Amino acid sequence: MRTALVYHEDMTAAQLLWEDPECEIERPERLTAALERLRQWGLEQRCLQLAAREASEAELGLVHSPEYVSLLRGTQTLSTRELQALSGQYDAVYFHPSTFHCARLAVGAALQLVDAVLTGAVHNGLALVRPPGHHSQRAAANGFCVFNNVAIAAKYAKQRHGLHRILIVDWDVHHGQGIQYIFEDDPSVLYFSWHRYEHGHFWPYLRESDADAVGQGQGRGFTVNLPWNQVGMGNADYVAAFLHVLLPVAFEFDPELVLISAGFDSAIGDPEGGYHLESLSQSVCMVVKALLGDPALPLSGPMEPHHSALESIQSVRAAQTPHWTSLRQQGSTPILNPSTYSLERRASPVSPGGPKFKAAEAQASAALSSLLDQLHLNPTLPVRTAVALTALDAALVLPADVLRQEGSAPQEETRAWARLHEALAQDKALTALGKVLHLLNGILDGQVNSGIAATPEPAAAPTLDVVIRRSLSHGARRLLCVAVGQLDRPADLADDGRNLWLNIRGKEAAAPSMFQVSVPLPGTTGGFVSCVLALVLPLAYGFQPDLVLVALGPAHGLQAPRAALLASLLRGPAGGRVLVLLEQGSTSQLAGILARVLQGEAPPGLGPFSMASPEDTQALIYLRGQLEAEWKMLQVAGEAGGARPRLNTGSGGSSSPQ
């Protein structure tokens, strides 16, 4: 199995023994509801199930002081009154006679998962634990957190498995200051956190949660804080944060292990702190589906980041640009804003049961209901990936659950489409076209999620033309075509906003319209990653396609790991609906790698990070400047000064100077 699920029912034992509105939201049902929903969705059965073990006190000592561990050990024999008194010495914490056992299980679950991944038993996994950990510090409990589960897991991976680069991503709505403090001077651990901040008015009310806190000493640049200063951030804001901050830095850092501190209190339907069990359990299920390789739902809503989000992104990029080459390659030089921290009145947390909480809960429940409707309307398809090749090479190795398609479209349909191009009348081209159309029909009809098909080289461009026209005339409302190599956009294809044409390996950087973009193929790893993250994906998410076509045409020059990364990342914008067209002469290795990433496996590594060439950087800067007025996902800062020039929405336009 590819995914582990680590859990132990004893972690539900600790509970609040006295009245405390602030702490009552951290309750055993947060685990039991999530586990029950995993079983209802059939996800637990698809995972390798591991029972959590207790972490040893030596393992706890990788992060916590002996005195603190001893103090927690002593809580097992305290009375309720003594537990309440001790809890009052910390911020938003309660202790129970079972807390020490539960907290050791939570740490042990994380360590078991690290062992399972790093020994190759699984590819990834989820440790379903409580109490949480990211606020806990060396000698202090904080914010429901007793031991710092993720921090101990990182230290353990370094000590036991000899790792040198670990990325921690913390997406909880609250800043994980405990993790930051533990690793702020350690360049072997890159800590990224986005969190609600509100200029310092949101818990934990810390100056060091702002964007200009970048680490200390040798660890400068290895703490990356993205503070949200406005509530109500949506899909566009989070995607922009991924594309313009987290992913560029992560690719440059090249981690050997990624640990996620997965708090779900910023999810739709959860007004405060994991209180809404339905939202929490749905979020856990969606994460497990992603780990299993299931395609994610297409994102809903307008893909235009809030101005406040762009200001935050600009601030963190400005603070981090001196430390990361990848951020300097993406274009505009950001201006470092002064700290946004304010000592003015702090906002009071919303208490469960109060009128503000009930109003927020009602609004969140409505949003969650809409999301659940999407889940019912977009069930997981029976065939995730199909391969339609005219001649299957014996060297081609496919995952067992990838369908080897044998059928073809009806001859009458195939010949009708072939009449559009003389090159398609030849026997080999006609046979290949029939297989392509059969696979495409399966995707458009909802029987297949993604696929790979091959065409003879002389028929590559005509076949792509037919696929575009067939898609737009039979159900695809918006079609993204990423053409790599010597493939020209069909001359009479309407520029009506239903198709977005993006050519990689064009002769020059050009944007004749907002729906026609051409960029040279970058030669270096850093240049290619910047092109994908700063241009291709912002356009793709902004366009919100129903289907993505990736055409690797003649002389595409794309190495297999880069092609796999491109196909893998393009699964996101269209809910996994990706069709890859290959030349029949492509290697079996390339077809096999593409099949695996479309099936949900991680793409192979790109190798050492290397800087983009000045020419590639200039091309990227030029295109972003031309397009960002129309495509808001390209923006990395709030607008300043006068209006930018706007592109034509039809034919015409401009290209970069020679």
Side-chain angles (χ1 to χ4, degrees):
M1 292 185 177
R2 58 173 292 144
T3 300
L5 179 65
V6 191
Y7 172 77
H8 199 293
E9 63 181 8
D10 282 4
M11 283 186 280
T12 63
Q15 56 186 305
L16 186 64
L17 298 177
W18 54 88
E19 289 190 8
D20 185 339
E22 184 179 36
C23 289
E24 67 182 19
I25 58 178
E26 205 299 293
R27 50 189 175 136
E29 290 82 0
R30 297 175 73 240
L31 281 194
T32 56
L35 189 63
E36 178 60 27
R37 186 52 57 92
L38 287 170
R39 290 168 176 165
Q40 289 176 359
W41 284 27
L43 296 173
E44 182 190 38
Q45 300 89 317
R46 295 172 60 190
C47 298
L48 175 64
Q49 299 168 45
L50 300 175
R53 66 169 176 86
E54 280 191 332
S56 68
E57 293 197 11
E59 289 166 340
L60 300 178
L62 291 172
V63 164
H64 298 286
S65 70
E67 296 79 12
Y68 178 67
V69 174
S70 177
L71 175 70
L72 267 294
R73 187 192 317 115
T75 60
Q76 298 175 98
T77 59
L78 296 182
S79 67
T80 299
R81 183 182 298 274
E82 290 170 325
L83 289 167
Q84 185 173 6
L86 179 61
S87 301
Q89 298 178 25
Y90 300 99
D91 186 3
V93 170
Y94 71 85
F95 294 115
H96 180 277
S98 296
T99 291
F100 187 60
H101 176 52
C102 291
R104 289 178 66 185
L105 284 173
V107 174
L111 303 189
Q112 275 184 287
L113 187 53
V114 167
D115 284 335
V117 170
L118 294 180
T119 59
V122 294
H123 294 163
N124 54 45
L126 174 75
L128 194 59
V129 304
R130 69 181 285 268
H134 71 149
H135 298 304
S136 175
Q137 296 148 47
R138 174 171 168 78
N142 185 265
F144 309 144
C145 300
V146 178
F147 297 129
N148 202 309
N149 310 316
V150 167
I152 296 172
K155 292 274 192 177
Y156 177 84
K158 291 172 60 179
Q159 181 192 72
R160 176 64 63 88
H161 296 279
L163 299 194
H164 302 286
R165 296 182 310 280
I166 298 172
L167 168 62
I168 297 176
V169 177
D170 187 343
W171 67 44
D172 192 278
V173 77
H174 303 94
H175 179 224
Q177 81 278 28
I179 301 177
Q180 177 171 315
Y181 294 155
I182 291 163
F183 295 112
E184 62 185 352
D185 60 354
D186 186 347
S188 69
V189 176
L190 171 60
Y191 174 63
F192 171 87
S193 172
W194 60 32
H195 44 267
R196 183 173 165 186
Y197 186 59
E198 295 185 64
H199 303 287
H201 295 166
F202 190 70
W203 194 91
Y205 313 118
L206 297 173
R207 171 69 182 82
E208 55 267 35
S209 302
D210 209 350
D212 57 356
V214 299
Q216 303 289 334
Q218 291 185 330
R220 289 186 61 80
F222 294 92
T223 293
V224 182
N225 283 324
L226 178 52
W228 297 131
N229 289 316
Q230 176 180 313
V231 297
M233 295 300 172
N235 289 331
D237 306 301
Y238 285 104
V239 171
F242 269 119
L243 298 182
H244 301 311
V245 180
L246 173 58
L247 289 179
V249 172
F251 274 105
E252 183 174 350
F253 182 62
D254 191 23
E256 299 164 290
L257 176 68
V258 178
L259 299 171
I260 298 177
S261 182
F264 296 110
D265 41 6
S266 61
I268 286 179
D270 195 337
E272 178 71 19
Y275 180 80
H276 197 292
L277 299 180
E278 182 70 10
S279 173
L280 171 66
S281 59
Q282 296 284 353
S283 298
V284 170
C285 287
M286 295 305 290
V287 166
V288 172
K289 283 172 64 68
L291 292 173
L292 288 165
D294 294 355
L297 288 174
L299 298 179
S300 59
M303 294 304 290
E304 180 175 346
H306 289 87
H307 181 77
S308 176
L310 292 175
E311 288 182 333
S312 294
I313 290 171
Q314 179 184 23
S315 294
V316 69
R317 283 171 57 89
Q320 296 294 337
T321 291
H323 309 290
W324 296 100
T325 300
S326 54
L327 297 180
R328 297 195 293 273
Q329 291 178 169
Q330 288 194 359
S332 57
T333 302
I335 300 173
L336 181 60
N337 293 329
S339 166
T340 61
Y341 182 77
S342 171
L343 292 176
E344 298 174 1
R345 178 184 60 84
R346 294 172 175 174
S348 300
V350 179
S351 298
K356 289 185 178 180
F357 180 86
K358 290 181 178 179
E361 184 178 32
Q363 183 178 9
S365 295
L368 179 61
S369 177
S370 175
L371 177 61
L372 295 180
D373 288 342
Q374 289 188 58
L375 291 174
H376 293 305
L377 292 172
N378 295 273
T380 301
L381 299 180
V383 178
R384 188 186 297 172
T385 307
V387 173
L389 305 178
T390 53
L392 288 177
D393 192 321
L396 176 61
V397 178
L398 296 175
D401 44 359
V402 169
L403 175 66
R404 294 173 180 256
Q405 178 185 283
E406 301 293 341
S408 296
Q411 285 192 3
E412 183 178 345
E413 177 187 357
T414 303
R415 292 186 182 280
W417 284 106
R419 294 189 191 103
L420 296 176
H421 297 279
E422 184 177 346
L424 295 176
Q426 301 176 9
D427 289 344
K428 287 185 178 180
L430 192 65
T431 299
L433 180 63
K435 289 183 172 291
V436 171
L437 289 173
H438 184 61
L439 176 55
L440 177 62
N441 291 342
I443 294 174
L444 294 174
D445 294 342
Q447 302 302 311
V448 180
N449 200 76
S450 61
I452 302 171
T455 61
E457 180 177 337
T463 301
L464 177 59
D465 178 44
V466 168
V467 169
I468 292 173
R469 297 179 190 280
R470 176 71 176 84
S471 301
L472 292 174
S473 63
H474 289 76
R477 294 171 298 172
R478 291 181 301 277
L479 177 69
L480 168 62
C481 182
V482 180
V484 188
Q486 297 174 1
L487 292 169
D488 294 328
R489 182 178 183 274
D492 56 348
L493 185 63
D495 197 9
D496 57 4
R498 293 187 61 207
N499 64 89
L500 171 58
W501 173 272
L502 176 57
N503 180 219
I504 302 176
R505 203 179 176 81
K507 296 178 181 178
E508 60 184 6
S513 83
M514 66 178 289
F515 298 109
Q516 300 179 45
V517 182
S518 177
V519 61
L521 176 66
T524 67
T525 300
F528 179 75
V529 169
S530 290
C531 178
V532 172
L533 298 182
L535 181 68
V536 177
L537 289 179
L539 291 175
Y541 278 103
F543 186 57
Q544 296 178 284
D546 304 298
L547 175 64
V548 175
L549 298 179
V550 179
L552 303 182
H556 63 77
L558 207 56
Q559 299 169 359
R562 297 185 186 182
L565 177 66
L566 180 65
S568 176
L569 291 175
L570 285 171
R571 295 179 76 222
R577 298 204 338 157
V578 177
L579 174 59
V580 180
L581 299 179
L582 298 174
E583 293 181 274
Q584 284 183 348
S586 298
T587 65
S588 298
Q589 179 194 24
L590 176 59
I593 290 175
L594 289 170
R596 288 193 289 275
V597 298
L598 291 182
Q599 193 68 359
E601 293 187 21
L606 297 179
F609 184 88
S610 54
M611 291 183 61
S613 69
E615 295 79 12
D616 290 337
T617 299
Q618 185 59 40
L620 186 61
I621 293 172
Y622 170 78
L623 286 172
R624 288 169 60 88
Q626 290 292 305
L627 293 163
E628 67 177 14
E630 301 293 343
W631 296 105
K632 304 301 183 183
M633 290 303 298
L634 289 168
Q635 297 180 359
V636 295
E639 293 184 6
R644 295 179 179 272
R646 297 173 66 88
L647 278 178
N648 294 333
T649 55
S651 59
S654 58
S655 61
S656 61
Q658 300 296 311

